[in-house]
Amino acid sequence: MNPRNNHRLILFPHPFQGHMNSMLQLGRILYARGFSITIVHTNFNAPDPSSHPNFAFQSITDGIDQSEASTLDTRGLLALLDVRCAVPFEECLREIVSSQGGDAAPIACLISDSMFSFTCSVAQRLKVHALVLRTAGAAFLYIATIFPVLKEKGYVPVLGSRSEEAVKEFPPLLVKDIPAVDPQKPEVMFRILDNLIAVIKDSSGVIINTFEELEHSDLASLREVLSVPFFPIGPSHRFCVTSPSSSSQAEDTDCISWLDKQPPKSVIYVSFGSLAAMSEAEMLEIALGLADSEQPFLWVVRPRSVRDPEWLEKSPSHFLKALEGRGKIVKWAPQKEVLAHPAVGAFWTHSGWNSTLESISEGVPMLCMPRFADQGVNARYVSDVWRIGVHLNGGLERENIARSIKRLLAEREGAEIRERALVLKEKASISVRQGGPSYQALDALISHILSFK
Ligand code: UDX
């Protein structure tokens, strides 16, 4: 065990699953580099300390429970968490700062999720250096910086009639790829993005889960526009040899032995992240489209992702028969292991950033069905910039689903996409190897942290 370098990092993750995974992953990377790690976390979606015995954990009272959270959409929950956490977070950090000295290692700095607006101002008051962790990609962050221009040009709030139009100021984006703004309450989204830019400008630097080769031009634009150091250390999960699941949902590892029985590159893996929700009608279309595709499939159906968790058991027998044998449905999968499995030929995804980066890391072509937030931007880059996947254009209906899956798994276009995906996989691997760009960015991050007086 390399001795703790007597520097302690305070990490403050956002409780959304994709964000929590990224911060805990960063904690494991920095722990392995000799830092002591303290996780300050909300009670809402609290992480399980037993998965990280080397970390200290400190909870703050946000006063949000699942029933209150279930009445809000993602943006509403983001806004509520930001309001409810500011005071208890400051109290907690003040207590940690005042307990320094004695046997507690001095605080090197705070690293907080960029979706909290108050962290850098609190850290400044308590004379603690503050970095922010950005769990989405550079392209989406750059979109956030030009949102006022998009608003001024009338692209947002998106008018349905213009959704297929190109965003001339930011090719190859289409209007529909821009994060949706509720026309009834546009100020909610504008405030979220304004706060994001402000907290980054207030910080001593941004740790971002991407890599230079993947998003070079957007990273260059961000460095220019925001004038703070950026540390692209992605795909960060590649730095962690063992990554205990930090998901609140238990992983169903039986699916790996099911995959072992499938032909190479034959399986479509289907998962829409930890937040997306579907109607029963949409679930039926997905199921029948998978059945019609005639490809084996591994489908993640999170219990809370559909209003009626028993929908499958209540489904008509003919439909269950269509699924039998050809597919496997699990509540939560060991996704990184699944994407690395030789039987997996494509990934039908909502284009969340972590899923996108994990698919790139394993060279798995993607079928993109973005739903909200940064997913539209991520999906556009997958299909039009990196060209390692396709959009599920034409809507969520069985014939279209089956056709799109065959396009990726059984046609020439899919083979060309796979070749490009494997080239990008190699670039991701080189990036995190010693001497690679992400490895160097991690070294630079550690020097930056140790330079704080
Ligand atoms: C949220 C937003 O939806 C997304 O747009 C944003 O980019 C990040 O925050 P989420 O919806 O959870 O993220 O999607 P994603 O970013 O893809 O993260 C999902 C994580 O859960 C991934 O790390 C994935 O490996 C993991 N996962 C998903 C599992 O481990 N098992 C599963 O069955 C499904």
Side-chain angles (χ1 to χ4, degrees), residues 18-19 21 271 274 300 332-333 335 350 352-355 358 374-375:
H19 293 243
N21 289 358
S271 168
S274 63
V300 176
W332 196 250
Q335 177 159 304
H350 67 315
W353 184 249
N354 295 289
S355 293
E358 288 157 10
D374 59 328
Q375 297 158 20

Side-chain angles (χ1 to χ4, degrees), residues 40-305:
V40 172
H41 61 87
T42 56
N43 281 337
F44 177 72
N45 274 8
D48 173 5
S50 66
S51 316
H52 296 81
N54 298 316
F55 295 176
F57 285 81
Q58 189 114 30
S59 73
I60 63 171
T61 312
D62 48 71
I64 300 174
D65 58 27
Q66 291 296 353
S67 59
E68 181 178 21
S70 61
T71 64
L72 299 165
D73 66 8
T74 308
R75 280 188 295 260
L77 188 50
L78 262 174
L80 183 65
L81 279 159
D82 202 37
V83 167
R84 290 276 182 85
C85 294
V87 170
F89 172 76
E90 177 151 7
E91 286 165 0
C92 177
L93 189 58
R94 185 182 305 283
E95 203 177 297
I96 293 174
V97 168
S98 56
S99 68
Q100 280 189 98
D103 58 350
I107 298 174
C109 79
L110 164 71
I111 302 176
S112 55
D113 190 291
S114 59
M115 296 318 289
F116 285 121
S117 67
F118 49 82
T119 50
C120 291
S121 51
V122 167
Q124 275 159 13
R125 278 198 291 279
L126 298 173
K127 298 191 179 6
V128 173
H129 286 274
L131 298 172
V132 291
L133 169 66
R134 188 67 198 146
T135 60
F140 179 70
L141 183 56
Y142 184 65
I143 290 281
T145 67
I146 64 167
F147 224 71
V149 173
L150 299 176
K151 192 168 119 185
E152 185 195 303
K153 302 270 183 185
Y155 289 116
V156 288
V158 172
L159 300 177
S161 55
R162 296 186 64 186
S163 61
E164 294 301 328
E165 250 184 64
V167 179
K168 292 188 297 301
E169 294 74 6
F170 196 83
L173 225 55
L174 302 183
V175 171
K176 69 180 179 183
D177 303 329
I178 299 172
V181 173
D182 180 347
Q184 309 305 323
K185 297 178 284 181
E187 71 287 345
V188 174
M189 187 61 158
F190 295 145
R191 190 177 319 113
I192 287 172
L193 296 178
D194 287 348
N195 286 344
L196 170 61
I197 299 308
V199 78
I200 286 176
K201 284 182 169 175
D202 262 359
S203 76
S204 299
V206 182
I207 304 161
I208 186 165
N209 188 15
T210 187
F211 57 103
E212 279 296 341
E213 284 263 14
L214 188 69
E215 297 196 278
H216 179 68
S217 61
D218 290 311
L219 283 165
S221 307
L222 286 169
R223 289 179 174 114
E224 192 182 323
V225 167
L226 297 174
S227 326
V228 292
F230 272 77
F231 302 95
I233 62 167
S236 59
H237 69 280
R238 297 300 291 267
F239 280 112
C240 303
V241 178
T242 52
S243 50
S245 164
S246 52
S247 160
S248 47
Q249 181 79 40
E251 292 176 351
D252 179 334
T253 49
D254 289 353
C255 60
I256 298 299
S257 43
W258 179 82
L259 285 171
D260 290 342
K261 301 186 189 79
Q262 309 307 319
K265 303 288 175 247
S266 66
V267 174
I268 177 97
Y269 169 57
V270 187
S271 168
F272 303 119
S274 63
L275 296 172
M278 304 276 177
S279 66
E280 283 78 1
E282 287 177 319
M283 299 298 277
L284 188 57
E285 282 306 308
I286 292 172
L288 293 174
L290 289 172
D292 292 353
S293 74
E294 296 169 346
Q295 298 288 147
F297 62 84
L298 171 58
W299 182 10
V300 176
V301 179
R302 265 185 313 110
R304 287 204 297 271
S305 66

Side-chain angles (χ1 to χ4, degrees), residues 349-353 355-356 366-370 374-376 378-379 382:
T349 174
H350 67 315
S351 297
W353 184 249
S355 293
T356 301
M366 284 169 265
L367 172 56
C368 302
M369 185 176 78
D374 59 328
Q375 297 158 20
N378 302 339
V382 165

